[in-house]
Amino acid sequence: MKALTEKIVHYLVLLAVTFGAVWVMWRVSSKEPNSAADERTPQRAMSPVVAAKALVEIEPLQVQMCEIFFTYAGKIRAWETYQVGFETPGRVMSLGVNDAGQPLDEGDHVRQGQVLAVLDERVYRSQQTEATARVEQAKSDVKRAERVRLTNPAALTESELQRLATDEALALAQLEVAVKNLEDATLRAPVDATISERMIKSGESVSAHQIVFELVQNDEVLLVVDVPESQIHELETRLRVVDKNRAGADPDDSAFRAHVRLEGRDRFGNARPPLMGEVHQIAEVSDPQTGLFEVEIRLPNSERLLRPGMVATADLVTARIPGYRVPEEAVIYRERRAYLFTVDREPAEMEVLYWNVGPTDLYRARKVDLRQWVDQGSHVVVPEEDVELDSVVVRGHFRLADGQVVRVMNLPKPSPGQVHAANPRERVDGSVDR
């Protein structure tokens, strides 16, 4: 009997709970959503602090002197090339020697006046001795004739005395030729240079003016690039500005700079260190075959590591303007317009349910239209006078809208004790829009 009673009580409790739940559901469903009570108590809007945010990454920017350049490729040439040979014919007796005492060969560096090769001097030396003897004989004849003329003027006519003087002058001329021939039997380097080619060997016979050595000056070299006609005007304008500012205090405006990169990489796959050059000359006329103008860029080569024929790329700096170096991936192009996004910081209140837990920062994307820009490959130069930027969005910006709330993934941590300004247009870096 007791078990039956407990089961009945249990069922009654379940029925009571079920009826209670049905009644609550009926009351809730029967309540009108547009009642006057609901209109008097509007729902509270969600705070933008807790709203969903687009994830972005930013890169800080600052105004700097930006270089505008054109990029060209070309080959390195020697500063000057000399093709030297003997003035007189003969047989090569010996070659000059390098610092190691070995006969000169290709690649050896020679100094101005250093002996390159020597001809057989015996014939020229005997010719000099013969010419010297003739000079002494002629001088002796003239002196003897003058003494005779003083003692007996009728013994020697004026024409005979003149003939003796002429013989003396001819003997002196022949002596000068003999001396020069003897000197020309020794070939010397005209300048400090490097031997690029040697065409003779010891014991060979050569003729007069035959090229026997080719020398190149390579303490400085020239990188020659071909420039189209459309860009010569800017290069010429920059060259004239540089010539005008040669004595200026700013070294960057007193030289037509060129940043040069050698092609190829080292054994570890790293790019070779860049070189700093200077535009030396712009060709007056174009090449008849290509229609391009040759521009020569002077490069220092004190260690003689640069050799003619090497390929290099040069960035010719045509202007320097104050502006921003914006990463190329941060700029969005639409038809003929370009724009980017920056991030502004504004103060906000952090609310959880109905409690205010304190101030925080809210970040909004701001669209910046670019009026003018210069594409420089890895970055875009934006003039300072057009925009004012302190940061730029580099990731997550393709689907952003102006004024959209964002979350900065790489935001730097604030320093201890940093206090945020209350201005609603405060930027990410702490500066304030005025």
Side-chain angles (χ1 to χ4, degrees):
M1 189 65 182
K2 183 177 180 181
L4 180 62
T5 303
E6 291 179 354
K7 183 177 292 188
I8 294 174
V9 172
H10 179 70
Y11 283 122
L12 291 176
V13 171
L14 289 177
L15 288 174
V17 171
T18 302
F19 281 115
V22 171
W23 180 82
V24 170
M25 292 175 63
W26 175 76
R27 290 288 297 172
V28 171
S29 62
S30 63
K31 189 175 182 181
E32 295 183 0
N34 296 326
S35 61
D38 290 339
E39 293 178 357
R40 290 193 299 270
T41 58
Q43 294 183 355
R44 188 171 183 175
M46 182 180 294
S47 173
V49 176
V50 298
K53 304 178 182 63
L55 302 180
V56 298
E57 289 187 9
I58 64 172
E59 183 170 320
L61 297 178
Q62 60 181 357
V63 177
Q64 56 183 309
M65 193 61 68
C66 302
E67 295 180 340
I68 308 300
F69 55 81
F70 293 143
T71 302
Y72 308 97
K75 285 186 177 182
I76 293 177
R77 295 181 186 172
W79 181 261
E80 288 289 353
T81 301
Y82 297 85
Q83 294 178 334
V84 296
F86 292 99
E87 293 288 332
T88 57
R91 184 172 61 87
V92 179
M93 285 292 294
S94 63
L95 298 175
V97 295
N98 55 21
D99 295 337
Q102 300 296 324
L104 291 175
D105 205 348
E106 297 177 3
D108 288 335
H109 187 70
V110 295
R111 295 172 295 276
Q112 182 177 7
Q114 182 176 342
V115 175
L116 300 178
V118 179
L119 294 179
D120 189 350
E121 300 178 344
R122 290 176 295 180
V123 174
Y124 299 111
R125 196 175 298 278
S126 62
Q127 290 177 354
Q128 180 185 14
T129 303
E130 180 181 357
T132 303
R134 288 180 180 178
V135 170
E136 295 297 331
Q137 181 65 39
K139 288 182 178 180
S140 178
D141 292 344
V142 171
K143 289 180 180 180
R144 185 170 57 254
E146 289 177 350
R147 288 196 301 268
V148 171
R149 185 71 182 275
L150 289 176
T151 57
N152 187 7
L156 191 65
T157 63
E158 183 67 27
S159 61
E160 291 178 345
L161 184 60
Q162 185 64 35
R163 180 182 59 79
L164 293 174
T166 302
D167 292 342
E168 181 184 7
L170 291 175
L172 287 173
Q174 291 176 355
L175 177 60
E176 290 181 1
V177 172
V179 171
K180 183 180 182 303
N181 289 338
L182 182 59
E183 292 177 352
D184 290 341
T186 301
L187 183 62
R188 299 181 181 275
V191 293
D192 293 349
T194 300
I195 299 175
S196 61
E197 190 173 0
R198 189 194 74 183
M199 295 86 160
I200 59 170
K201 297 179 182 178
S202 180
E204 293 183 344
S205 296
V206 296
S207 59
H209 306 295
Q210 176 184 340
I211 299 174
V212 295
F213 281 96
E214 185 176 81
L215 309 177
V216 292
Q217 276 187 301
N218 56 356
D219 288 340
E220 287 184 321
V221 295
L222 294 174
L223 172 61
V224 182
V225 298
D226 294 325
V227 178
E229 176 187 359
S230 60
Q231 298 174 351
I232 283 294
H233 176 72
E234 292 198 36
L235 299 186
E236 189 65 36
T237 301
R238 176 62 178 173
L239 187 60
R240 294 181 181 180
V241 171
V242 167
D243 290 338
K244 186 178 180 180
N245 297 332
R246 288 291 183 186
D250 189 354
D252 293 323
D253 282 334
S254 60
F256 196 158
R257 300 294 185 189
H259 304 283
V260 177
R261 304 180 303 276
L262 294 175
E263 297 299 327
R265 297 179 177 271
D266 60 15
R267 68 186 68 178
F268 302 107
N270 300 320
R272 303 188 185 280
L275 304 173
M276 181 64 71
E278 182 177 352
V279 174
H280 173 64
Q281 188 175 8
I282 301 176
E284 290 294 332
V285 296
S286 63
D287 187 285
Q289 296 181 351
T290 63
L292 303 176
F293 291 80
E294 287 190 349
V295 177
E296 297 178 350
I297 303 169
R298 180 170 57 193
L299 296 173
N301 190 32
S302 58
E303 298 182 0
R304 294 189 289 278
L305 297 178
L306 303 178
R307 300 196 175 187
M310 287 184 172
V311 179
T313 304
D315 297 331
L316 305 186
V317 181
T318 58
R320 300 174 67 248
I321 62 173
Y324 303 94
R325 289 171 55 94
V326 180
E328 193 270 340
E329 62 271 14
V331 182
I332 302 175
Y333 301 93
R334 292 291 183 269
E335 296 179 352
R336 296 185 178 181
R337 299 186 303 109
Y339 61 92
L340 51 82
F341 283 95
T342 185
V343 174
D344 295 327
R345 181 174 62 185
E346 58 186 50
E349 297 295 331
M350 174 66 74
E351 296 181 355
V352 177
L353 296 179
Y354 296 98
W355 290 275
N356 188 331
V357 297
T360 185
D361 293 325
L362 186 66
Y363 299 94
R364 292 186 183 274
R366 177 164 56 91
K367 181 180 178 181
V368 179
D369 292 315
L370 302 182
R371 186 172 62 88
Q372 55 183 352
W373 69 91
V374 182
D375 190 353
Q376 297 286 255
S378 62
H379 63 278
V380 175
V381 175
V382 180
E384 176 193 16
E385 59 189 16
D386 290 349
V387 296
E388 184 177 357
L389 299 171
D390 56 31
S391 63
V392 63
V393 179
V394 294
R395 291 187 63 183
H397 53 297
F398 287 100
R399 295 186 178 182
L400 283 182
D402 189 23
Q404 183 177 352
V405 179
V406 297
R407 177 184 176 187
V408 181
M409 299 299 296
N410 59 336
L411 188 67
K413 295 181 179 180
S415 58
Q418 182 178 3
V419 179
H420 300 304
N423 193 300
R425 295 292 293 172
E426 187 180 8
R427 291 195 181 92
V428 174
D429 66 346
S431 59
V432 180
D433 281 339
R434 298 295 182 186

